[in-house]
Amino acid sequence: MTFSDPPTRTEQLLPALAWLRRYRPSDLRGDLVAGLTVAVMLIPQGMAYALLAGLPPVVGLYASTLPLIVYALFGSSRQLAVGPVAIVSLLTLTGVSAVAEAGTAGFILYAALLALMVGAAQLLLGVLRGGFITNFLSHAVVSGFTSAAAVVIALSQLKDLLGIRLENTHSVPLLLWEAATRLGETNPASLTLGAVSIALLLLGRRFAPRLPVPLGVVVLATLATYALGLEDYGLRIVGEVPSGLPQLTLPPFDGAALVNLLPAALTIAFVGFMESFAVAKSIAARERYPLDANAELRALGLANLVAGLFSAYPVTGGFSRTAVNYQAGARTGLASLLTALLVLLTLLFFTPLFYYLPNAALAAIVVVAVVGLVDLKEPRHLFRVRPIDGWTLLVTFAATLLIGIEQGILIGVAFSLLVYVWRSAYPHTAVVGYLESEGVFRNVKRFPQVRLFPGTIIIREDAALYFANMGFLEAFVDRTLREHPDAKRLLFDFSGVNDVDAVALDTLRELMATLEEIGIEVHLAGMKGPVRDLVARAAWPERFRARAAHLSLEHALRAFGETLSPAPDAPTGARAALERR
Amino acid sequence: MTFSDPPTRTEQLLPALAWLRRYRPSDLRGDLVAGLTVAVMLIPQGMAYALLAGLPPVVGLYASTLPLIVYALFGSSRQLAVGPVAIVSLLTLTGVSAVAEAGTAGFILYAALLALMVGAAQLLLGVLRGGFITNFLSHAVVSGFTSAAAVVIALSQLKDLLGIRLENTHSVPLLLWEAATRLGETNPASLTLGAVSIALLLLGRRFAPRLPVPLGVVVLATLATYALGLEDYGLRIVGEVPSGLPQLTLPPFDGAALVNLLPAALTIAFVGFMESFAVAKSIAARERYPLDANAELRALGLANLVAGLFSAYPVTGGFSRTAVNYQAGARTGLASLLTALLVLLTLLFFTPLFYYLPNAALAAIVVVAVVGLVDLKEPRHLFRVRPIDGWTLLVTFAATLLIGIEQGILIGVAFSLLVYVWRSAYPHTAVVGYLESEGVFRNVKRFPQVRLFPGTIIIREDAALYFANMGFLEAFVDRTLREHPDAKRLLFDFSGVNDVDAVALDTLRELMATLEEIGIEVHLAGMKGPVRDLVARAAWPERFRARAAHLSLEHALRAFGETLSPAPDAPTGARAALERR
């Protein structure tokens, strides 16, 4: 196996140096083709996602310029395609709606402020090396959230596809109800153009995945609108798109807005990073170059800071565009630099071409892009393997859909952690006996033929012990002793106890003391080193400590005077390490 | 070992039948002495705790009658002394203060409503067999909470000990500040009587622990107040205590009050049960009779329902009175029945005697009772054994003291669970080698002499794998592979992996697939039965499944063509099961 050399110190700060220094002429062709391909995809998507976020289309183009350049210079992924993405656009819409009305000038300014906050949060988290926090977002939660968000996004496009007004954009049930009552107001031109666009996009994706079908749809829809004068039939069009480069603008820093935008900023910082890092990681693994979560956070943070300063809105690495970039042959960040350059040229010279572009075509692009995000395989898979993980996905999905987009992911995280804590409170615990044919100890319920030792009950505990599962263990001991009124000794196999907390340790000592009073000795065998260190510090009475020092069940039983004769034909060494159930 | 017989079905419903049927004449003396002793202790304490709760002293006496009888009939502990206790009284004060002002008639009614709610919550939890929920209250949290509550309670008595007015009873810093500024208004009679009472109580506890010193203090203080006319010097006295039995009164059910009392009701239901069950459990263990958490919840629930219906306030099993009851010789619930009878007689005939009883003497009783609840040994112990558990205690203590009594315990529970989740995200993981002298695999960092196998890296994972620690594992693998660029195989020892969730399973499969692409085979050895069941359901590719099926590290290594020769002098069987660090 060969990984590339580890980066130098300078290259860690400015990863672009790593690929610039080693740039090979053979990389150039792939970078050029990929840069062009992504630009052709990004220009319509950028405008469409900006509309989804409640912003003028040009903001989506701004977000497709400088942030890409910053990421290409500072990011450690060489194929990640940064820019506006669907879910972050939706989160921007719901977040900024808390402080301004969509479509107003204030909304645009606060969207830029939101990007600044996202950037600051990501940069700070990266500098503090806090990237591990994203480990607490279970894939089940991300999957449920993404599917629900895709549904919300698709529904939010109904207004442009049907050419009707919809006020309730935040509550799915209300939105559906409103759409149903206003179905009669549907604009035929919008519906036709939207439906044709969706059909073309789906056909293109199916039969010509390498062609720039979205651009084709944009061109055709614009020409049709212009030629047939569809504007006069009530079709909403993009209208004037200001030309020129994005300008440096400081967003308004007002305290109340900062507080109200904070939940959205943190959600976007996390969710955006998760989406981006997942796709960057899978490509880095294939291409065998290292990817550091904290470096990625810092690079995305800088990209978002620049987005905020230059009149754009939050960005992140997108799933589908990154895949296209990689498949089109991108070798280095040069591809993204080229993409940004092409968008800048578009902003300078081609914006008048978008005047007759109908919103319905952009809505069609959004709908087709997000339909693929609804993942039905994952819940089926999770329910089959471990139903509780499927429920985590479903709870997140339902909460995101019915309660809200930001609350949904929080509820999902809380639920997934509670599931873990809950399960840990009911650990697998078994009474075991000696399986003489194999020379190992096994669960008496699964292996009724095991040898038992008169007066001694052996209990195997398969869990880290902590305050929440000691009640379970005590109840298990209580029940077991009731079933074996002749027991004189309780022998615990601690080889599966990976950790113990101080409270559990005290409970254990109390258990030893209480049972001693009624004539039962408790012994502990096979304790791991770190656990033994804790017992030493807990200052147990000398006799308890001696009873906890058995190296293994075999050692303990020999000390009790039992003889263990392993089967003569079992292979030495391998025998006793047979897996335990 | 001998446990008593398991209870019959009828006895499970009415546990009093169990001890009534088997009542031995030899039990009678102990029950009589204990019942009398506890009554003598309970009468002053009941009045004192009622004052602490912001209620007239007679309410504390009411709470010491019917609830005791109900618990004696339905409870499964034979020595538990139910009644008003300090911490529940404090929680009642803060809880009911949210809906009424202390000292008003409304306050008394809402305190009874609170008792009804506590009773309903406990009964419901017991019927639904939800007693396990209390497992999630770590002892570290309970200890920190109890110590802080004791401090708050002691400070709340300052007003009666100094004879001043204090308005801020809920915030400790504000209360201290107010007391400091009003120190000049101290009433000399209150201060003197309070100080002498405290001194007598402390001396009595030290030198005459078997004498009813609190009753003595009450008698002496009452006589002194009457004889010296201390009332005229500004000493606050209990005044008229209505005589007669507690009356059946339905508390006011108004919706807003129910909502506002709910947090307090749930907190009291949990905390009260915890305190009660802890002491009942320790005595039941010594006396070798079974105690069921759900039965206890139901019995305490009934006791609180009766408290709510008969003009009392929330009760639970108290720590110190139960200890006194047990040490005085209580054998059955008859002791508690006698206690209740004596309090009823007091209510009928002796209430006029309390007219000149000074509040300062009752405050002294409260202070001396709760001083013992401040536990300094536990934090020292926890910090020595496992510092993070000490922090759990400290965080709970500080939050209870500074933020609030109900918030404190919630913050403690959340913190303790986060600590557990946090640690589980960073499990112990080690590269291991074969220790030939012992025939076992050990950590290469602890045992540098272990034998390594060219091209094969063995990693032992000591944790249940789930979404939050897979990032850690992946990073560990990444680092390890970088340190061993010649690796061809990665062999995981799964014998310490007690559980795996579906997300971790997918990540594992992706890891296997990604590493395979770069020429590294991943093998898993020693998987436990339940984990293997999950892998089977996850539908891994056939070759991955084969690589995950090694029974043990030894089996896997032999399959790779290695020969493992254990040291000839190691004892067979015992050797391979030596404890692992």
Side-chain angles (χ1 to χ4, degrees):
Chain A
M1 135 158 219
T2 49
F3 280 104
S4 52
D5 305 334
T8 64
R9 249 198 119 62
T10 336
E11 286 173 5
Q12 275 181 339
L13 287 174
L14 198 67
L17 290 176
W19 53 262
L20 271 176
R21 272 193 200 147
R22 299 182 184 78
Y23 203 85
R24 291 170 301 182
S26 59
D27 291 339
L28 191 60
R29 193 174 169 277
D31 279 343
L32 290 181
V33 172
L36 180 67
T37 310
V38 172
V40 161
M41 185 177 177
L42 179 55
I43 292 168
Q45 272 195 355
M47 293 196 286
Y49 290 151
L51 274 182
L52 159 59
L55 294 162
V58 72
V59 175
L61 295 179
Y62 292 162
S64 308
T65 57
L66 291 177
L68 276 71
I69 296 172
V70 168
Y71 182 84
L73 297 179
F74 292 97
S76 43
S77 167
R78 297 171 194 167
Q79 282 86 12
L80 191 70
V82 168
V85 306
I87 290 182
V88 168
S89 300
L90 176 65
L91 285 166
T92 301
L93 173 68
T94 57
V96 181
S97 293
V99 295
E101 205 174 324
T104 64
F107 195 90
I108 303 174
L109 290 173
Y110 284 123
L113 176 62
L114 182 64
L116 265 188
M117 293 171 72
V118 170
Q122 288 179 329
L123 189 60
L124 194 71
L125 206 61
V127 168
L128 298 177
R129 312 197 64 75
F132 60 85
I133 265 190
T134 50
N135 285 338
F136 290 94
L137 261 181
S138 160
H139 179 65
V141 171
V142 173
S143 172
F145 172 76
T146 305
S147 291
V151 172
V152 175
I153 290 170
L155 291 175
S156 74
Q157 301 303 303
L158 274 181
K159 65 178 194 302
D160 278 331
L161 287 175
L162 301 178
I164 59 179
R165 303 254 151 229
L166 290 177
E167 330 256 292
N168 291 299
T169 45
H170 300 305
S171 159
V172 168
L174 284 180
L175 189 146
L176 281 177
W177 174 248
E178 196 182 356
T181 57
R182 298 207 168 171
L183 217 52
E185 303 166 18
T186 300
N187 175 273
S190 297
L191 180 59
T192 312
L193 203 136
V196 170
S197 299
I198 288 180
L200 285 176
L201 288 163
L202 288 177
L203 288 172
R205 180 195 277 184
R206 182 80 188 265
F207 298 106
R210 303 203 137 246
L211 285 186
V213 178
L215 188 70
V217 166
V218 162
V219 171
L220 284 178
T222 307
L223 287 177
T225 308
Y226 176 71
L228 305 174
L230 292 179
E231 196 194 351
D232 303 335
Y233 295 89
L235 183 69
R236 252 176 265 156
I237 57 171
V238 163
E240 195 164 344
V241 176
S243 91
L245 301 180
Q247 300 296 311
L248 180 67
T249 320
L250 213 57
F253 286 95
D254 78 84
L258 285 171
V259 169
N260 288 326
L261 288 175
L262 196 61
L266 293 179
T267 311
I268 294 175
F270 278 107
V271 173
F273 171 70
M274 286 288 289
E275 175 173 358
S276 177
F277 193 63
V279 59
K281 203 165 61 171
S282 79
I283 291 175
R286 279 170 190 239
E287 293 291 314
R288 303 177 205 186
Y289 60 80
L291 205 62
D292 172 24
N294 295 306
E296 279 300 283
L297 269 171
R298 294 194 296 270
L300 286 175
L302 289 173
N304 273 308
L305 283 179
V306 166
L309 291 175
F310 284 89
S311 315
Y313 78 109
V315 295
T316 197
F319 210 87
S320 52
R321 282 199 309 275
T322 300
V324 166
N325 197 31
Y326 180 53
Q327 281 156 18
R331 304 296 316 152
T332 71
L334 192 67
S336 279
L337 290 179
L338 179 65
T339 303
L341 187 69
L342 291 171
V343 179
L344 284 171
L345 289 176
T346 306
L347 275 169
L348 281 176
F349 303 114
F350 306 128
T351 54
L353 297 180
F354 300 132
Y355 188 88
Y356 285 103
L357 172 57
N359 285 6
L362 293 178
I365 290 175
V366 169
V367 168
V368 173
V370 298
V371 157
L373 294 181
V374 178
D375 188 353
L376 297 177
K377 267 169 65 186
E378 186 69 12
R380 273 205 299 264
H381 166 69
L382 291 179
F383 271 108
R384 195 182 62 234
V385 175
R386 199 162 169 265
I388 188 67
D389 296 328
W391 281 109
T392 302
L393 188 152
L394 261 194
V395 163
T396 313
F397 179 83
T400 306
L401 212 56
L402 301 176
I403 302 179
I405 191 100
E406 283 164 21
Q407 296 90 328
I409 200 153
L410 274 183
I411 290 170
V413 168
F415 186 84
S416 62
L417 291 178
L418 277 182
V419 164
Y420 176 71
V421 166
W422 197 257
R423 279 188 68 97
S424 73
Y426 300 91
H428 188 240
T429 306
V431 171
V432 298
Y434 191 60
L435 190 62
E436 296 193 293
S437 64
E438 301 284 344
V440 295
F441 292 86
R442 301 305 273 275
N443 191 340
V444 296
K445 292 218 176 116
R446 296 199 186 211
F447 296 83
Q449 74 270 38
V450 292
R451 174 180 157 200
L452 299 176
F453 301 88
T456 300
I457 303 173
I458 313 177
I459 295 180
R460 199 187 68 223
E461 182 63 31
D462 288 347
L465 294 178
Y466 77 122
F467 63 88
N469 58 22
M470 288 311 285
F472 174 88
L473 182 64
E474 286 178 296
F476 185 89
V477 166
D478 199 52
R479 214 160 51 236
T480 308
L481 287 181
R482 257 167 233 294
E483 288 164 9
H484 301 86
D486 55 330
K488 290 260 165 298
R489 263 193 227 101
L490 216 53
L491 172 57
F492 282 97
D493 181 0
F494 257 43
S495 63
V497 177
N498 296 315
D499 195 8
V500 175
D501 81 350
V503 172
L505 222 47
D506 292 342
T507 314
L508 212 53
R509 194 197 47 210
E510 280 160 30
L511 188 73
M512 290 173 93
T514 312
L515 291 180
E516 188 177 55
E517 280 184 29
I518 56 170
I520 297 178
E521 276 186 14
V522 176
H523 292 256
L524 312 174
M527 224 179 244
K528 298 190 180 196
V531 176
R532 207 172 325 114
D533 294 348
L534 283 174
V535 171
R537 272 181 275 157
W540 281 10
E542 192 47 46
R543 65 184 187 290
F544 286 2
R545 220 180 287 194
R547 285 179 204 156
H550 302 290
L551 291 179
S552 68
L553 289 181
E554 286 90 341
H555 280 81
L557 287 166
R558 288 220 173 77
F560 302 158
E562 303 283 355
T563 39
L564 298 176
S565 45
D569 57 332
T572 318
R575 174 202 312 141
L578 266 176
E579 101 288 12
R580 294 169 179 179
R581 289 214 251 184
Chain B
M1 133 164 228
T2 49
F3 280 103
S4 53
D5 305 335
T8 64
R9 248 197 120 63
T10 338
E11 287 173 4
Q12 274 180 340
L13 286 175
L14 199 67
L17 291 176
W19 55 261
L20 272 176
R21 274 194 201 148
R22 298 181 185 80
Y23 204 87
R24 291 170 300 184
S26 60
D27 291 340
L28 192 61
R29 189 169 175 278
D31 279 342
L32 290 181
V33 172
L36 180 67
T37 310
V38 171
V40 161
M41 185 177 177
L42 178 55
I43 292 167
Q45 272 194 356
M47 292 195 287
Y49 290 151
L51 274 182
L52 159 58
L55 294 162
V58 73
V59 176
L61 295 179
Y62 292 162
S64 309
T65 56
L66 293 177
L68 277 70
I69 296 172
V70 168
Y71 182 84
L73 296 179
F74 294 96
S76 44
S77 168
R78 298 170 195 168
Q79 282 86 12
L80 191 69
V82 168
V85 307
I87 289 182
V88 169
S89 300
L90 176 64
L91 285 166
T92 302
L93 173 67
T94 57
V96 182
S97 293
V99 294
E101 206 176 325
T104 64
F107 194 91
I108 303 173
L109 291 173
Y110 284 123
L113 177 61
L114 182 63
L116 265 188
M117 293 171 71
V118 170
Q122 288 178 330
L123 189 60
L124 193 72
L125 206 60
V127 168
L128 298 177
R129 312 195 67 72
F132 60 83
I133 260 189
T134 50
N135 285 338
F136 291 95
L137 261 180
S138 160
H139 179 64
V141 171
V142 173
S143 171
F145 173 76
T146 306
S147 292
V151 171
V152 175
I153 291 169
L155 290 175
S156 74
Q157 301 303 304
L158 273 181
K159 64 179 194 303
D160 279 330
L161 288 175
L162 301 178
I164 58 179
R165 303 252 152 230
L166 290 176
E167 330 256 293
N168 291 298
T169 45
H170 300 304
S171 159
V172 168
L174 283 179
L175 189 146
L176 281 178
W177 174 248
E178 195 182 356
T181 57
R182 297 205 170 172
L183 218 52
E185 303 165 18
T186 300
N187 176 273
S190 299
L191 180 59
T192 311
L193 203 136
V196 170
S197 301
I198 288 180
L200 284 176
L201 288 163
L202 288 177
L203 287 172
R205 178 193 281 184
R206 183 77 187 265
F207 297 108
R210 304 205 136 245
L211 287 185
V213 179
L215 188 69
V217 166
V218 161
V219 171
L220 283 179
T222 307
L223 288 178
T225 306
Y226 177 70
L228 304 175
L230 292 179
E231 194 194 354
D232 304 335
Y233 295 89
L235 184 69
R236 253 175 264 157
I237 57 170
V238 163
E240 193 164 344
V241 176
S243 92
L245 300 179
Q247 300 297 311
L248 180 67
T249 319
L250 213 59
F253 286 94
D254 77 84
L258 285 171
V259 170
N260 288 324
L261 287 175
L262 195 61
L266 293 179
T267 311
I268 294 174
F270 278 106
V271 173
F273 171 70
M274 285 288 290
E275 175 172 358
S276 178
F277 192 63
V279 61
K281 202 166 58 169
S282 79
I283 291 175
R286 279 171 191 237
E287 292 292 313
R288 302 176 207 188
Y289 61 80
L291 204 63
D292 172 24
N294 295 306
E296 278 301 283
L297 268 171
R298 294 193 297 269
L300 285 175
L302 289 173
N304 274 308
L305 282 179
V306 166
L309 291 174
F310 285 89
S311 315
Y313 77 110
V315 295
T316 197
F319 210 87
S320 52
R321 282 200 308 274
T322 301
V324 166
N325 197 32
Y326 181 51
Q327 280 157 18
R331 304 295 316 153
T332 71
L334 192 67
S336 279
L337 290 178
L338 180 65
T339 302
L341 187 70
L342 291 171
V343 178
L344 284 171
L345 289 177
T346 305
L347 275 168
L348 283 175
F349 304 114
F350 306 127
T351 55
L353 296 180
F354 299 132
Y355 188 88
Y356 285 103
L357 172 57
N359 285 6
L362 293 177
I365 290 175
V366 170
V367 168
V368 173
V370 299
V371 157
L373 294 180
V374 178
D375 188 353
L376 297 176
K377 268 169 65 188
E378 186 68 13
R380 274 206 297 265
H381 166 70
L382 291 179
F383 271 108
R384 196 182 60 235
V385 175
R386 198 157 169 269
I388 188 67
D389 296 327
W391 282 108
T392 302
L393 188 153
L394 262 193
V395 163
T396 313
F397 179 83
T400 307
L401 212 56
L402 301 176
I403 302 178
I405 192 101
E406 283 164 22
Q407 295 90 329
I409 201 154
L410 274 183
I411 290 171
V413 169
F415 187 85
S416 63
L417 291 178
L418 276 183
V419 163
Y420 175 71
V421 166
W422 197 256
R423 279 188 67 99
S424 73
Y426 299 91
H428 187 240
T429 305
V431 172
V432 298
Y434 190 60
L435 191 61
E436 297 195 292
S437 64
E438 302 283 344
V440 293
F441 291 85
R442 302 307 271 275
N443 191 339
V444 296
K445 291 217 177 119
R446 296 197 186 212
F447 296 84
Q449 73 271 35
V450 291
R451 174 180 157 199
L452 300 175
F453 300 88
T456 301
I457 304 173
I458 312 176
I459 295 179
R460 199 188 68 225
E461 183 62 32
D462 287 347
L465 294 178
Y466 77 121
F467 64 88
N469 58 22
M470 289 310 285
F472 176 87
L473 182 65
E474 285 178 298
F476 186 89
V477 166
D478 200 54
R479 215 163 48 235
T480 308
L481 287 180
R482 256 166 233 296
E483 287 164 8
H484 302 86
D486 55 330
K488 290 260 164 298
R489 266 194 224 99
L490 217 52
L491 173 58
F492 282 97
D493 181 0
F494 257 43
S495 64
V497 176
N498 296 314
D499 194 7
V500 175
D501 80 350
V503 172
L505 222 47
D506 292 342
T507 313
L508 211 54
R509 193 197 46 209
E510 280 159 30
L511 189 72
M512 289 174 95
T514 312
L515 290 180
E516 187 178 54
E517 281 185 26
I518 55 169
I520 298 178
E521 276 186 13
V522 176
H523 291 257
L524 312 175
M527 225 179 242
K528 298 190 181 197
V531 175
R532 209 175 322 116
D533 294 349
L534 283 173
V535 171
R537 271 180 277 155
W540 281 9
E542 192 46 49
R543 65 185 188 290
F544 286 1
R545 220 180 285 194
R547 286 178 203 156
H550 303 290
L551 291 179
S552 67
L553 289 181
E554 285 90 343
H555 280 79
L557 287 166
R558 286 218 176 76
F560 303 158
E562 304 283 353
T563 39
L564 297 177
S565 44
D569 57 332
T572 317
R575 176 203 310 141
L578 266 173
E579 103 288 14
R580 296 169 177 180
R581 289 215 252 185

